[in-house]
Amino acid sequence: MQQPHVLIIGAGIAGIACAQALLSAGIAARVVDRGRKPGGRMASRTINGRTVDLGASYFTAEPGTRFSDVVAGWLDRGLAREWTDMVAVAGAEGIQRLSTGPMRYAAPAGLRELVMDLARGLDIHQGVTIEHVAAGEVDSKRYDTVVLAMPDPQARRLLDVGSSLHDALNDGFGWEPSIAVVLEWAARDWQSFHTAFVNDVAEITSLADDGDRRGDGAPVLVAHTTAALARQHLVDPDGAITVVTDAVRRMLSLTDAPARSFAHRWTFARPAAQHPEPFLLSDRIGVCGDAWGDRSSVATAWASGDALGRAIAAS
């Protein structure tokens, strides 16, 4: 295992799961990512001395799956915790009802820490930008297999236009953007809830109580915008803060303005449609991520990467 034979581009949970599956099979893999840390859309950021989840709001795990075994390990070590099986449904007039569902899990230190935990023992290089991928070749360097663990539009940019792989992936119109807006108040002054799906509101689609999610009770809410609002502010994400703040205050009947706010852009936040297959592997190039499976989720992303890694190992 001195010379890497597989290159994985993208250090989100799908890419890391793929690398771990290969490592378990005794196959060397190198992971490269243009960001500063692993995590992808399970990103967390320290804002005013406190870690806030900016991407995925939580994750679920279907019992009996390979991912549920991973989650059990996180729970045993205190890296993850059961958060809630109760989700609020909200609208312009506020929280309308509560709905039960599968257990949602959160991470006391932020979801990124879970990806960092999975990344232990892997050969990862951050701050690396890749320009072009062809069969077994990345920027003129040869590999047995190359994995693109990223949203379809980002993968398409690396592939030759007109190639079968390029055409099999969704372009930018097949993915929806979002802007995560973090709002911190001086004190908690809203009706208690965990996380909410927001319907019929032009500005936001979801709202999470980050203090409740993280378990420290901090008066912090994280809203995710609609795709329409995000498109208006992709060049300047901070431009969405005032609009989102006003929508959250109206919805929760808050009289005070937040003390601090922060915005983070997700150009490709979620797929508009799913690929039915768990991954794509063709001509020595693989593609995996949360778009490959029944629905976009952390569990889907992990399962896609894990399945692709095992398929490469078996080929």
Side-chain angles (χ1 to χ4, degrees):
M1 295 179 64
Q2 298 300 311
Q3 177 65 34
H5 300 295
V6 178
L7 181 71
I8 298 171
I9 307 172
I13 194 169
I16 297 302
C18 184
Q20 283 291 4
L22 287 165
L23 184 63
S24 296
I27 297 175
R30 172 170 292 166
V31 182
V32 298
D33 189 271
R34 66 183 182 181
R36 294 183 298 109
K37 297 178 180 179
R41 278 168 289 148
M42 290 176 72
S44 305
R45 179 162 178 167
T46 301
I47 301 174
N48 300 313
R50 182 182 179 276
T51 302
V52 181
D53 285 320
L54 298 175
S57 294
Y58 51 78
F59 62 94
T60 60
E62 185 177 348
T65 61
R66 290 171 60 86
F67 184 59
S68 69
D69 293 336
V70 174
V71 174
W74 286 336
L75 293 172
D76 288 344
R77 289 180 290 140
L79 297 176
R81 72 183 189 96
E82 293 185 346
W83 180 23
T84 182
D85 62 356
M86 189 76 66
V87 175
V89 178
E93 303 303 317
I95 294 176
Q96 300 165 342
R97 59 185 176 85
L98 298 178
S99 176
T100 57
M103 176 58 65
R104 273 79 175 174
Y105 298 93
L111 291 179
R112 185 195 298 276
E113 289 302 309
L114 302 181
V115 183
M116 298 287 287
D117 179 68
L118 289 178
R120 298 183 190 281
L122 299 179
D123 179 20
I124 301 177
H125 301 260
Q126 299 292 151
V128 177
T129 299
I130 300 299
E131 301 293 341
H132 179 255
V133 174
E137 185 174 291
V138 177
D139 293 347
S140 301
K141 296 181 180 179
R142 302 293 298 179
Y143 293 90
D144 291 339
T145 307
V146 179
V147 171
L148 306 179
M150 61 187 69
D152 285 17
Q154 293 175 327
R156 278 170 61 99
R157 292 173 183 172
L158 302 180
L159 299 169
D160 291 328
V161 175
S163 67
S164 59
L165 276 171
H166 178 275
D167 294 343
L169 303 178
N170 293 324
D171 61 16
F173 294 101
W175 282 68
E176 297 179 345
S178 184
I179 295 173
V181 178
V182 180
L183 302 171
E184 180 183 356
W185 270 264
R188 302 175 67 85
D189 190 28
W190 51 79
Q191 176 186 346
S192 177
F193 74 102
H194 304 292
T195 186
F197 297 131
V198 182
N199 301 318
D200 303 321
V201 174
E203 299 86 0
I204 59 177
T205 60
S206 66
L207 184 65
D209 186 328
D210 198 63
D212 183 82
R213 172 169 60 190
R214 303 296 303 288
D216 63 0
V220 176
L221 299 174
V222 179
H224 288 266
T225 71
T226 60
L229 182 63
R231 291 189 183 100
Q232 297 175 28
H233 297 282
L234 284 179
V235 175
D236 179 23
D238 286 351
I241 291 177
T242 298
V243 178
V244 170
T245 299
D246 291 344
V248 171
R249 290 178 66 186
R250 288 194 305 270
M251 194 173 70
L252 298 182
S253 301
L254 301 176
T255 56
D256 294 335
R260 300 181 183 89
S261 57
F262 175 84
H264 180 86
R265 172 183 57 224
W266 295 104
T267 304
F268 304 114
R270 52 187 171 267
Q274 295 292 121
H275 297 286
E277 305 87 359
F279 58 83
L280 178 63
L281 181 59
S282 176
D283 200 17
R284 298 166 63 191
I285 299 175
V287 185
C288 62
D290 65 316
W292 298 86
D294 291 339
R295 63 186 183 88
S296 174
S297 68
V298 171
T300 295
W302 183 91
S304 175
D306 177 67
L308 177 55
R310 289 186 286 117
I312 294 171
S315 63

